[in-house]
Amino acid sequence: QARESDDTRYRFFTPALNESLSRRILVEQALRQALGYNEFQLVYQPQVKLDDNQVVGVEALLRWYNPKLGQVPPDQFIPIAEEDGQILPIGLWVLEEACRQLAAWRELGFNPVMSVNLSARQLRTHELHTQLQRLLEKYQLPSGQLELELTERAVLDTSHPQVRQSLAVVEELGVGLALDDFGTGYSSLRYLTEHPFNVLKIDKSFVQALPERDREYTLVAALIAIAHKLGMDVVAEGVETAEQLAILQSLQCPVVQGYYFSRPLAPDDLLARLERRGQHWQLAL
Ligand code: C2E
Ligand code: MG
Ligand code: MG
Ligand code: MG
């Protein structure tokens, strides 16, 4: 009996395994040429301040379309790019493109904070300082209008002297730092005190559990309170329903991001959804 089912499993899994392995190799190869072929694009998801509905920030999110592989989601290709080092040139492209876009929006009077995801690998290079300085200068950006999102995983390695150095340099430049996906990885409350984070991003898994689960509700309420007391801003991620929004509002969460307001959008599509009210830009709902 047991043998037979083992055998079935064996026959069943091998082709699938091969398939995922060869897909990985295809992704790896295609990734190496993706920058050269201009296959990357950034989309932007608005961050909305709840007391006046102003779009106070946008998060830049990377998209990759390859003619053979189709649209490959970042959760699939970024880990691969991190492993083989491709994330360094790709990450630099992301930073530059986000800065270029921000400068273009500033010309129109739209002044959101531009939030860019950075991977651990980028923190471990010596070049981050000069790269940031060069971009701020080239696009004439106030450093406070740029923000870098790091996950707990990325700052885990703080014994690495370069990681500490990079975080210090970002702080010194006046570029913002957001702690992304808070509460999911190797969470330690120490990250909140040991590193110069300005923003705490509450992970969508907590937000999405909000209406039904008491424990998550209590945790989110406590996180918002802790962040306030530490002088940090809070962004709740992954808000999809009016109910989640109402709860966050009652907890005085200052800023939210999620499909309820908008999916990540190409720059023109985002502009088309914005309404200008004096200096404020809001989403037309
Ligand atoms: P993240 O930084 O936590 O980004 C938020 C993710 O949640 C995005 O997925 C976004 O599209 C998605 N999201 C936003 N609102 C909602 C919602 O209401 N419901 C749900 N279910 N999802 C929502 P995306 O764009 O697929 O990115 C996935 C992850 O890939 C990001 O998570 C980030 O860790 C990474 N990533 C994306 N772009 C970059 C980049 O340029 N550089 C690096 N290093 N990582 C990136
Ligand atoms: Mg992020
Ligand atoms: Mg996140
Ligand atoms: Mg994430």
Side-chain angles (χ1 to χ4, degrees):
Q1 269 302 62
R3 268 205 84 148
E4 195 178 295
S5 73
D6 279 351
D7 194 45
T8 324
R9 212 192 275 163
Y10 183 79
R11 262 186 281 132
F12 185 76
F13 271 104
T14 303
L17 199 68
N18 273 336
E19 214 173 275
S20 71
L21 201 66
S22 54
R23 173 156 174 107
R24 201 203 140 98
I25 292 167
L26 283 179
V27 168
E28 243 180 75
Q29 284 171 348
L31 205 50
R32 262 176 234 132
Q33 304 186 305
L35 272 178
Y37 287 129
N38 252 315
E39 291 172 356
F40 291 118
Q41 196 199 342
L42 291 183
V43 289
Y44 300 89
Q45 188 176 37
Q47 301 179 328
V48 178
K49 188 156 144 245
L50 288 183
D51 64 8
D52 61 3
N53 277 326
Q54 196 189 343
V55 175
V56 286
V58 292
E59 178 176 4
L61 292 157
L62 186 56
R63 294 293 176 261
W64 178 29
Y65 181 81
N66 174 273
K68 269 197 226 135
L69 299 165
Q71 191 83 41
V72 188
D75 286 331
Q76 245 177 57
F77 71 82
I78 284 179
I80 296 176
E82 281 172 352
E83 259 176 59
D84 77 354
Q86 288 297 312
I87 196 67
L88 293 176
I90 295 171
L92 185 57
W93 179 87
V94 170
L95 267 176
E96 169 118 32
E97 177 60 14
C99 288
R100 191 198 59 72
Q101 183 60 64
L102 180 57
W105 279 335
R106 278 164 54 82
E107 294 269 302
L108 303 174
F110 177 42
N111 271 295
V113 170
M114 174 64 77
S115 215
V116 179
N117 293 284
L118 217 68
S119 75
R121 196 88 181 228
Q122 290 172 278
L123 277 186
R124 273 187 252 125
T125 64
H126 300 277
E127 286 115 80
L128 190 63
H129 185 223
T130 41
Q131 287 168 351
L132 289 172
Q133 239 176 355
R134 179 181 68 80
L135 291 172
L136 292 171
E137 170 96 328
K138 177 172 176 189
Y139 294 101
Q140 295 288 293
L141 301 172
S143 57
Q145 216 174 327
L146 184 65
E147 183 176 279
L148 305 177
E149 294 195 6
L150 304 171
T151 60
E152 295 159 292
R153 187 190 285 275
V155 286
L156 183 69
D157 200 10
T158 42
S159 54
H160 198 299
Q162 188 53 50
V163 171
R164 261 180 197 286
Q165 178 67 19
S166 290
L167 289 169
V169 144
V170 171
E171 187 186 25
E172 183 202 303
L173 283 173
V175 170
L177 271 177
L179 187 51
D180 203 358
D181 299 351
F182 189 76
T184 54
Y186 306 80
S187 294
S188 163
L189 293 173
R190 179 159 293 153
Y191 292 134
L192 299 182
T193 57
E194 265 196 3
H195 302 299
F197 287 102
N198 321 87
V199 180
L200 181 70
K201 295 193 77 174
I202 299 176
D203 190 66
K204 55 178 171 279
S205 57
F206 296 106
V207 172
Q208 290 173 356
L210 272 184
E212 295 94 22
R213 316 237 328 236
D214 287 348
R215 292 190 160 215
E216 271 82 353
Y217 176 87
T218 305
L219 199 66
V220 169
L223 281 178
I224 292 171
I226 289 172
H228 276 158
K229 290 196 174 141
L230 292 172
M232 297 171 79
D233 282 327
V234 178
V235 178
E237 298 190 292
V239 179
E240 291 183 357
T241 67
E243 201 183 2
Q244 290 161 357
L245 180 66
I247 295 171
L248 289 164
Q249 222 148 7
S250 74
L251 293 174
Q252 285 165 51
C253 179
V255 179
V256 302
Q257 180 182 343
Y259 295 167
Y260 178 79
F261 285 103
S262 171
R263 293 192 171 253
L265 296 171
D268 288 348
D269 297 332
L270 176 58
L271 262 197
R273 280 212 44 202
L274 293 172
E275 270 172 5
R276 186 175 189 160
R277 300 248 166 91
Q279 295 298 96
H280 284 206
W281 295 66
Q282 298 182 348
L283 286 169
L285 292 173

